[in-house]
Amino acid sequence: DAKTTQPTSMDCAEGRAANLPCNHSTISGNEYVYWYRQIHSQGPQYIIHGLKNNETNEMASLIITEDRKSSTLILPHATLRDTAVYYCIVRVHYGQNFVFGPGTRLSVLP
Amino acid sequence: DAGVTQSPTHLIKTRGQQVTLRCSPKSGHDTVSWYQQALGQGPQFIFQYYEEEERQRGNFPDRFSGHQFPNYSSELNVNALLLGDSALYLCASSIRQTGALYEQYFGPGTRLTVT
């Protein structure tokens, strides 16, 4: 079973920041938080990952709470092309498979 | 640089038949994982191949088997197809190196329909 809990769906206005929460209260010290997204009929796309520090790349920012029991993916200026299912996954070091939950369906509205 | 490629894109098979799906990993990647994604659900891990051997396996029956070739490409074989095997089959590649952490890159998938 997935080790994360995410809202089933969320809406966001185009141009606004999209904040997608994820709960991972049973995360272990050696587990990373990964975010992927899946646009309709495509394979999942890697967004970002982190261990305990906040991370930022060209796509998004990842904010991990100090106790590491939850995190938030932030898309700073959502566009219609960001409409997708977003998956939050916790995983140990390389070699381990990803356990996907149902994810959050984000709809960016014009 | 080509990413992960999969073939065919779509496939229709009859119950009881056998099917082979193919995957070429991203350049420089040596590990291939396969996932099954039923409609409306997240991908489910089938197995992972590295150095031409199955290294990890999810909760799938023996009807699901695979192979990895010396050039790191991989095949997924499913025997005795059931209606419930209808799904999007995803291949993901990654690099397996000591001390490093690498994300998996996914291909576009093969849509299998069993009638």
Side-chain angles (χ1 to χ4, degrees), chain B residues 56-72:
Chain B
Q56 295 181 56
R57 190 177 182 92
N59 188 26
F60 279 80
D62 292 344
R63 297 186 298 109
F64 290 77
S65 63
H67 188 78
Q68 186 180 34
F69 300 93
N71 66 352
Y72 308 121

mmCIF file with all atom_site columns, all heavy atoms in Angstrom, chain B residues 56-72:
data_model
loop_
_atom_site.group_PDB
_atom_site.id
_atom_site.type_symbol
_atom_site.label_atom_id
_atom_site.label_alt_id
_atom_site.label_comp_id
_atom_site.label_asym_id
_atom_site.label_entity_id
_atom_site.label_seq_id
_atom_site.pdbx_PDB_ins_code
_atom_site.Cartn_x
_atom_site.Cartn_y
_atom_site.Cartn_z
_atom_site.occupancy
_atom_site.B_iso_or_equiv
_atom_site.pdbx_formal_charge
_atom_site.auth_seq_id
_atom_site.auth_comp_id
_atom_site.auth_asym_id
_atom_site.auth_atom_id
_atom_site.pdbx_PDB_model_num
ATOM 1   N N   . GLN B 1 56 ? 13.567 -7.290  -8.421  1.00 0.00 ? 56 GLN B N   1
ATOM 2   C CA  . GLN B 1 56 ? 12.444 -7.083  -7.517  1.00 0.00 ? 56 GLN B CA  1
ATOM 3   C C   . GLN B 1 56 ? 11.186 -7.473  -8.267  1.00 0.00 ? 56 GLN B C   1
ATOM 4   O O   . GLN B 1 56 ? 11.122 -7.381  -9.488  1.00 0.00 ? 56 GLN B O   1
ATOM 5   C CB  . GLN B 1 56 ? 12.305 -5.615  -7.090  1.00 0.00 ? 56 GLN B CB  1
ATOM 6   C CG  . GLN B 1 56 ? 13.414 -5.048  -6.260  1.00 0.00 ? 56 GLN B CG  1
ATOM 7   C CD  . GLN B 1 56 ? 13.116 -3.616  -5.912  1.00 0.00 ? 56 GLN B CD  1
ATOM 8   O OE1 . GLN B 1 56 ? 12.075 -3.295  -5.329  1.00 0.00 ? 56 GLN B OE1 1
ATOM 9   N NE2 . GLN B 1 56 ? 14.010 -2.727  -6.286  1.00 0.00 ? 56 GLN B NE2 1
ATOM 10  N N   . ARG B 1 57 ? 10.174 -7.892  -7.491  1.00 0.00 ? 57 ARG B N   1
ATOM 11  C CA  . ARG B 1 57 ? 8.919  -8.262  -8.112  1.00 0.00 ? 57 ARG B CA  1
ATOM 12  C C   . ARG B 1 57 ? 7.771  -7.815  -7.234  1.00 0.00 ? 57 ARG B C   1
ATOM 13  O O   . ARG B 1 57 ? 7.829  -7.947  -6.013  1.00 0.00 ? 57 ARG B O   1
ATOM 14  C CB  . ARG B 1 57 ? 8.836  -9.775  -8.317  1.00 0.00 ? 57 ARG B CB  1
ATOM 15  C CG  . ARG B 1 57 ? 7.655  -10.205 -9.168  1.00 0.00 ? 57 ARG B CG  1
ATOM 16  C CD  . ARG B 1 57 ? 7.645  -11.704 -9.407  1.00 0.00 ? 57 ARG B CD  1
ATOM 17  N NE  . ARG B 1 57 ? 6.525  -12.087 -10.262 1.00 0.00 ? 57 ARG B NE  1
ATOM 18  C CZ  . ARG B 1 57 ? 6.605  -12.183 -11.587 1.00 0.00 ? 57 ARG B CZ  1
ATOM 19  N NH1 . ARG B 1 57 ? 7.746  -11.958 -12.198 1.00 0.00 ? 57 ARG B NH1 1
ATOM 20  N NH2 . ARG B 1 57 ? 5.545  -12.522 -12.300 1.00 0.00 ? 57 ARG B NH2 1
ATOM 21  N N   . GLY B 1 58 ? 6.751  -7.297  -7.854  1.00 0.00 ? 58 GLY B N   1
ATOM 22  C CA  . GLY B 1 58 ? 5.543  -6.912  -7.140  1.00 0.00 ? 58 GLY B CA  1
ATOM 23  C C   . GLY B 1 58 ? 4.596  -8.104  -7.048  1.00 0.00 ? 58 GLY B C   1
ATOM 24  O O   . GLY B 1 58 ? 4.945  -9.243  -7.374  1.00 0.00 ? 58 GLY B O   1
ATOM 25  N N   . ASN B 1 59 ? 3.383  -7.841  -6.635  1.00 0.00 ? 59 ASN B N   1
ATOM 26  C CA  . ASN B 1 59 ? 2.409  -8.895  -6.405  1.00 0.00 ? 59 ASN B CA  1
ATOM 27  C C   . ASN B 1 59 ? 1.668  -9.247  -7.699  1.00 0.00 ? 59 ASN B C   1
ATOM 28  O O   . ASN B 1 59 ? 0.468  -8.984  -7.849  1.00 0.00 ? 59 ASN B O   1
ATOM 29  C CB  . ASN B 1 59 ? 1.420  -8.442  -5.331  1.00 0.00 ? 59 ASN B CB  1
ATOM 30  C CG  . ASN B 1 59 ? 0.494  -9.559  -4.899  1.00 0.00 ? 59 ASN B CG  1
ATOM 31  O OD1 . ASN B 1 59 ? 0.843  -10.731 -4.996  1.00 0.00 ? 59 ASN B OD1 1
ATOM 32  N ND2 . ASN B 1 59 ? -0.687 -9.195  -4.427  1.00 0.00 ? 59 ASN B ND2 1
ATOM 33  N N   . PHE B 1 60 ? 2.383  -9.834  -8.626  1.00 0.00 ? 60 PHE B N   1
ATOM 34  C CA  . PHE B 1 60 ? 1.806  -10.248 -9.897  1.00 0.00 ? 60 PHE B CA  1
ATOM 35  C C   . PHE B 1 60 ? 2.083  -11.729 -10.115 1.00 0.00 ? 60 PHE B C   1
ATOM 36  O O   . PHE B 1 60 ? 3.131  -12.234 -9.727  1.00 0.00 ? 60 PHE B O   1
ATOM 37  C CB  . PHE B 1 60 ? 2.403  -9.422  -11.050 1.00 0.00 ? 60 PHE B CB  1
ATOM 38  C CG  . PHE B 1 60 ? 1.771  -8.071  -11.206 1.00 0.00 ? 60 PHE B CG  1
ATOM 39  C CD1 . PHE B 1 60 ? 2.144  -7.019  -10.389 1.00 0.00 ? 60 PHE B CD1 1
ATOM 40  C CD2 . PHE B 1 60 ? 0.783  -7.857  -12.157 1.00 0.00 ? 60 PHE B CD2 1
ATOM 41  C CE1 . PHE B 1 60 ? 1.550  -5.775  -10.515 1.00 0.00 ? 60 PHE B CE1 1
ATOM 42  C CE2 . PHE B 1 60 ? 0.184  -6.619  -12.302 1.00 0.00 ? 60 PHE B CE2 1
ATOM 43  C CZ  . PHE B 1 60 ? 0.565  -5.576  -11.475 1.00 0.00 ? 60 PHE B CZ  1
ATOM 44  N N   . PRO B 1 61 ? 1.142  -12.443 -10.762 1.00 0.00 ? 61 PRO B N   1
ATOM 45  C CA  . PRO B 1 61 ? 1.318  -13.897 -10.958 1.00 0.00 ? 61 PRO B CA  1
ATOM 46  C C   . PRO B 1 61 ? 2.423  -14.207 -11.953 1.00 0.00 ? 61 PRO B C   1
ATOM 47  O O   . PRO B 1 61 ? 2.907  -13.329 -12.676 1.00 0.00 ? 61 PRO B O   1
ATOM 48  C CB  . PRO B 1 61 ? -0.057 -14.329 -11.499 1.00 0.00 ? 61 PRO B CB  1
ATOM 49  C CG  . PRO B 1 61 ? -0.631 -13.110 -12.121 1.00 0.00 ? 61 PRO B CG  1
ATOM 50  C CD  . PRO B 1 61 ? -0.147 -11.960 -11.290 1.00 0.00 ? 61 PRO B CD  1
ATOM 51  N N   . ASP B 1 62 ? 2.775  -15.483 -12.000 1.00 0.00 ? 62 ASP B N   1
ATOM 52  C CA  . ASP B 1 62 ? 3.851  -15.936 -12.880 1.00 0.00 ? 62 ASP B CA  1
ATOM 53  C C   . ASP B 1 62 ? 3.522  -15.785 -14.354 1.00 0.00 ? 62 ASP B C   1
ATOM 54  O O   . ASP B 1 62 ? 4.412  -15.937 -15.204 1.00 0.00 ? 62 ASP B O   1
ATOM 55  C CB  . ASP B 1 62 ? 4.176  -17.403 -12.576 1.00 0.00 ? 62 ASP B CB  1
ATOM 56  C CG  . ASP B 1 62 ? 4.794  -17.572 -11.208 1.00 0.00 ? 62 ASP B CG  1
ATOM 57  O OD1 . ASP B 1 62 ? 5.247  -16.557 -10.643 1.00 0.00 ? 62 ASP B OD1 1
ATOM 58  O OD2 . ASP B 1 62 ? 4.815  -18.707 -10.700 1.00 0.00 ? 62 ASP B OD2 1
ATOM 59  N N   . ARG B 1 63 ? 2.258  -15.505 -14.659 1.00 0.00 ? 63 ARG B N   1
ATOM 60  C CA  . ARG B 1 63 ? 1.905  -15.258 -16.064 1.00 0.00 ? 63 ARG B CA  1
ATOM 61  C C   . ARG B 1 63 ? 2.656  -14.040 -16.616 1.00 0.00 ? 63 ARG B C   1
ATOM 62  O O   . ARG B 1 63 ? 2.798  -13.892 -17.825 1.00 0.00 ? 63 ARG B O   1
ATOM 63  C CB  . ARG B 1 63 ? 0.393  -15.000 -16.209 1.00 0.00 ? 63 ARG B CB  1
ATOM 64  C CG  . ARG B 1 63 ? -0.507 -16.133 -15.826 1.00 0.00 ? 63 ARG B CG  1
ATOM 65  C CD  . ARG B 1 63 ? -1.951 -15.819 -16.156 1.00 0.00 ? 63 ARG B CD  1
ATOM 66  N NE  . ARG B 1 63 ? -2.477 -14.659 -15.446 1.00 0.00 ? 63 ARG B NE  1
ATOM 67  C CZ  . ARG B 1 63 ? -2.753 -13.484 -16.016 1.00 0.00 ? 63 ARG B CZ  1
ATOM 68  N NH1 . ARG B 1 63 ? -2.520 -13.296 -17.315 1.00 0.00 ? 63 ARG B NH1 1
ATOM 69  N NH2 . ARG B 1 63 ? -3.252 -12.491 -15.295 1.00 0.00 ? 63 ARG B NH2 1
ATOM 70  N N   . PHE B 1 64 ? 3.090  -13.203 -15.702 1.00 0.00 ? 64 PHE B N   1
ATOM 71  C CA  . PHE B 1 64 ? 3.862  -12.010 -16.072 1.00 0.00 ? 64 PHE B CA  1
ATOM 72  C C   . PHE B 1 64 ? 5.348  -12.358 -15.945 1.00 0.00 ? 64 PHE B C   1
ATOM 73  O O   . PHE B 1 64 ? 5.821  -12.722 -14.859 1.00 0.00 ? 64 PHE B O   1
ATOM 74  C CB  . PHE B 1 64 ? 3.527  -10.839 -15.154 1.00 0.00 ? 64 PHE B CB  1
ATOM 75  C CG  . PHE B 1 64 ? 2.146  -10.281 -15.370 1.00 0.00 ? 64 PHE B CG  1
ATOM 76  C CD1 . PHE B 1 64 ? 1.033  -10.927 -14.871 1.00 0.00 ? 64 PHE B CD1 1
ATOM 77  C CD2 . PHE B 1 64 ? 1.966  -9.103  -16.084 1.00 0.00 ? 64 PHE B CD2 1
ATOM 78  C CE1 . PHE B 1 64 ? -0.244 -10.414 -15.067 1.00 0.00 ? 64 PHE B CE1 1
ATOM 79  C CE2 . PHE B 1 64 ? 0.698  -8.575  -16.285 1.00 0.00 ? 64 PHE B CE2 1
ATOM 80  C CZ  . PHE B 1 64 ? -0.411 -9.240  -15.771 1.00 0.00 ? 64 PHE B CZ  1
ATOM 81  N N   . SER B 1 65 ? 6.055  -12.245 -17.052 1.00 0.00 ? 65 SER B N   1
ATOM 82  C CA  . SER B 1 65 ? 7.485  -12.519 -17.035 1.00 0.00 ? 65 SER B CA  1
ATOM 83  C C   . SER B 1 65 ? 8.199  -11.471 -17.874 1.00 0.00 ? 65 SER B C   1
ATOM 84  O O   . SER B 1 65 ? 7.567  -10.736 -18.646 1.00 0.00 ? 65 SER B O   1
ATOM 85  C CB  . SER B 1 65 ? 7.774  -13.920 -17.583 1.00 0.00 ? 65 SER B CB  1
ATOM 86  O OG  . SER B 1 65 ? 7.383  -14.011 -18.939 1.00 0.00 ? 65 SER B OG  1
ATOM 87  N N   . GLY B 1 66 ? 9.494  -11.417 -17.717 1.00 0.00 ? 66 GLY B N   1
ATOM 88  C CA  . GLY B 1 66 ? 10.230 -10.394 -18.443 1.00 0.00 ? 66 GLY B CA  1
ATOM 89  C C   . GLY B 1 66 ? 11.609 -10.847 -18.846 1.00 0.00 ? 66 GLY B C   1
ATOM 90  O O   . GLY B 1 66 ? 12.043 -11.970 -18.532 1.00 0.00 ? 66 GLY B O   1
ATOM 91  N N   . HIS B 1 67 ? 12.263 -9.937  -19.510 1.00 0.00 ? 67 HIS B N   1
ATOM 92  C CA  . HIS B 1 67 ? 13.636 -10.213 -19.948 1.00 0.00 ? 67 HIS B CA  1
ATOM 93  C C   . HIS B 1 67 ? 14.336 -8.883  -20.154 1.00 0.00 ? 67 HIS B C   1
ATOM 94  O O   . HIS B 1 67 ? 13.703 -7.893  -20.562 1.00 0.00 ? 67 HIS B O   1
ATOM 95  C CB  . HIS B 1 67 ? 13.604 -11.006 -21.260 1.00 0.00 ? 67 HIS B CB  1
ATOM 96  C CG  . HIS B 1 67 ? 14.947 -11.493 -21.690 1.00 0.00 ? 67 HIS B CG  1
ATOM 97  N ND1 . HIS B 1 67 ? 15.551 -12.592 -21.111 1.00 0.00 ? 67 HIS B ND1 1
ATOM 98  C CD2 . HIS B 1 67 ? 15.803 -11.022 -22.626 1.00 0.00 ? 67 HIS B CD2 1
ATOM 99  C CE1 . HIS B 1 67 ? 16.728 -12.773 -21.692 1.00 0.00 ? 67 HIS B CE1 1
ATOM 100 N NE2 . HIS B 1 67 ? 16.900 -11.843 -22.602 1.00 0.00 ? 67 HIS B NE2 1
ATOM 101 N N   . GLN B 1 68 ? 15.628 -8.876  -19.867 1.00 0.00 ? 68 GLN B N   1
ATOM 102 C CA  . GLN B 1 68 ? 16.438 -7.710  -20.193 1.00 0.00 ? 68 GLN B CA  1
ATOM 103 C C   . GLN B 1 68 ? 17.596 -8.165  -21.069 1.00 0.00 ? 68 GLN B C   1
ATOM 104 O O   . GLN B 1 68 ? 18.237 -9.188  -20.791 1.00 0.00 ? 68 GLN B O   1
ATOM 105 C CB  . GLN B 1 68 ? 16.964 -7.005  -18.940 1.00 0.00 ? 68 GLN B CB  1
ATOM 106 C CG  . GLN B 1 68 ? 17.693 -5.703  -19.275 1.00 0.00 ? 68 GLN B CG  1
ATOM 107 C CD  . GLN B 1 68 ? 18.223 -4.969  -18.055 1.00 0.00 ? 68 GLN B CD  1
ATOM 108 O OE1 . GLN B 1 68 ? 18.635 -5.592  -17.077 1.00 0.00 ? 68 GLN B OE1 1
ATOM 109 N NE2 . GLN B 1 68 ? 18.213 -3.645  -18.110 1.00 0.00 ? 68 GLN B NE2 1
ATOM 110 N N   . PHE B 1 69 ? 17.877 -7.411  -22.079 1.00 0.00 ? 69 PHE B N   1
ATOM 111 C CA  . PHE B 1 69 ? 18.922 -7.747  -23.041 1.00 0.00 ? 69 PHE B CA  1
ATOM 112 C C   . PHE B 1 69 ? 20.216 -7.025  -22.702 1.00 0.00 ? 69 PHE B C   1
ATOM 113 O O   . PHE B 1 69 ? 20.219 -6.067  -21.928 1.00 0.00 ? 69 PHE B O   1
ATOM 114 C CB  . PHE B 1 69 ? 18.441 -7.403  -24.448 1.00 0.00 ? 69 PHE B CB  1
ATOM 115 C CG  . PHE B 1 69 ? 17.197 -8.154  -24.847 1.00 0.00 ? 69 PHE B CG  1
ATOM 116 C CD1 . PHE B 1 69 ? 15.943 -7.599  -24.655 1.00 0.00 ? 69 PHE B CD1 1
ATOM 117 C CD2 . PHE B 1 69 ? 17.282 -9.426  -25.382 1.00 0.00 ? 69 PHE B CD2 1
ATOM 118 C CE1 . PHE B 1 69 ? 14.797 -8.297  -25.009 1.00 0.00 ? 69 PHE B CE1 1
ATOM 119 C CE2 . PHE B 1 69 ? 16.148 -10.134 -25.718 1.00 0.00 ? 69 PHE B CE2 1
ATOM 120 C CZ  . PHE B 1 69 ? 14.898 -9.562  -25.528 1.00 0.00 ? 69 PHE B CZ  1
ATOM 121 N N   . PRO B 1 70 ? 21.345 -7.469  -23.301 1.00 0.00 ? 70 PRO B N   1
ATOM 122 C CA  . PRO B 1 70 ? 22.634 -6.826  -23.002 1.00 0.00 ? 70 PRO B CA  1
ATOM 123 C C   . PRO B 1 70 ? 22.653 -5.326  -23.290 1.00 0.00 ? 70 PRO B C   1
ATOM 124 O O   . PRO B 1 70 ? 23.440 -4.597  -22.693 1.00 0.00 ? 70 PRO B O   1
ATOM 125 C CB  . PRO B 1 70 ? 23.616 -7.584  -23.907 1.00 0.00 ? 70 PRO B CB  1
ATOM 126 C CG  . PRO B 1 70 ? 23.008 -8.932  -24.069 1.00 0.00 ? 70 PRO B CG  1
ATOM 127 C CD  . PRO B 1 70 ? 21.521 -8.688  -24.125 1.00 0.00 ? 70 PRO B CD  1
ATOM 128 N N   . ASN B 1 71 ? 21.813 -4.853  -24.195 1.00 0.00 ? 71 ASN B N   1
ATOM 129 C CA  . ASN B 1 71 ? 21.780 -3.414  -24.487 1.00 0.00 ? 71 ASN B CA  1
ATOM 130 C C   . ASN B 1 71 ? 20.814 -2.678  -23.550 1.00 0.00 ? 71 ASN B C   1
ATOM 131 O O   . ASN B 1 71 ? 20.502 -1.511  -23.781 1.00 0.00 ? 71 ASN B O   1
ATOM 132 C CB  . ASN B 1 71 ? 21.371 -3.164  -25.941 1.00 0.00 ? 71 ASN B CB  1
ATOM 133 C CG  . ASN B 1 71 ? 19.942 -3.583  -26.246 1.00 0.00 ? 71 ASN B CG  1
ATOM 134 O OD1 . ASN B 1 71 ? 19.280 -4.193  -25.408 1.00 0.00 ? 71 ASN B OD1 1
ATOM 135 N ND2 . ASN B 1 71 ? 19.486 -3.263  -27.430 1.00 0.00 ? 71 ASN B ND2 1
ATOM 136 N N   . TYR B 1 72 ? 20.368 -3.345  -22.498 1.00 0.00 ? 72 TYR B N   1
ATOM 137 C CA  . TYR B 1 72 ? 19.508 -2.814  -21.436 1.00 0.00 ? 72 TYR B CA  1
ATOM 138 C C   . TYR B 1 72 ? 18.030 -2.721  -21.820 1.00 0.00 ? 72 TYR B C   1
ATOM 139 O O   . TYR B 1 72 ? 17.202 -2.443  -20.948 1.00 0.00 ? 72 TYR B O   1
ATOM 140 C CB  . TYR B 1 72 ? 19.971 -1.449  -20.924 1.00 0.00 ? 72 TYR B CB  1
ATOM 141 C CG  . TYR B 1 72 ? 21.421 -1.419  -20.521 1.00 0.00 ? 72 TYR B CG  1
ATOM 142 C CD1 . TYR B 1 72 ? 22.320 -0.547  -21.131 1.00 0.00 ? 72 TYR B CD1 1
ATOM 143 C CD2 . TYR B 1 72 ? 21.903 -2.275  -19.537 1.00 0.00 ? 72 TYR B CD2 1
ATOM 144 C CE1 . TYR B 1 72 ? 23.660 -0.528  -20.771 1.00 0.00 ? 72 TYR B CE1 1
ATOM 145 C CE2 . TYR B 1 72 ? 23.245 -2.262  -19.169 1.00 0.00 ? 72 TYR B CE2 1
ATOM 146 C CZ  . TYR B 1 72 ? 24.113 -1.386  -19.790 1.00 0.00 ? 72 TYR B CZ  1
ATOM 147 O OH  . TYR B 1 72 ? 25.437 -1.371  -19.433 1.00 0.00 ? 72 TYR B OH  1
#
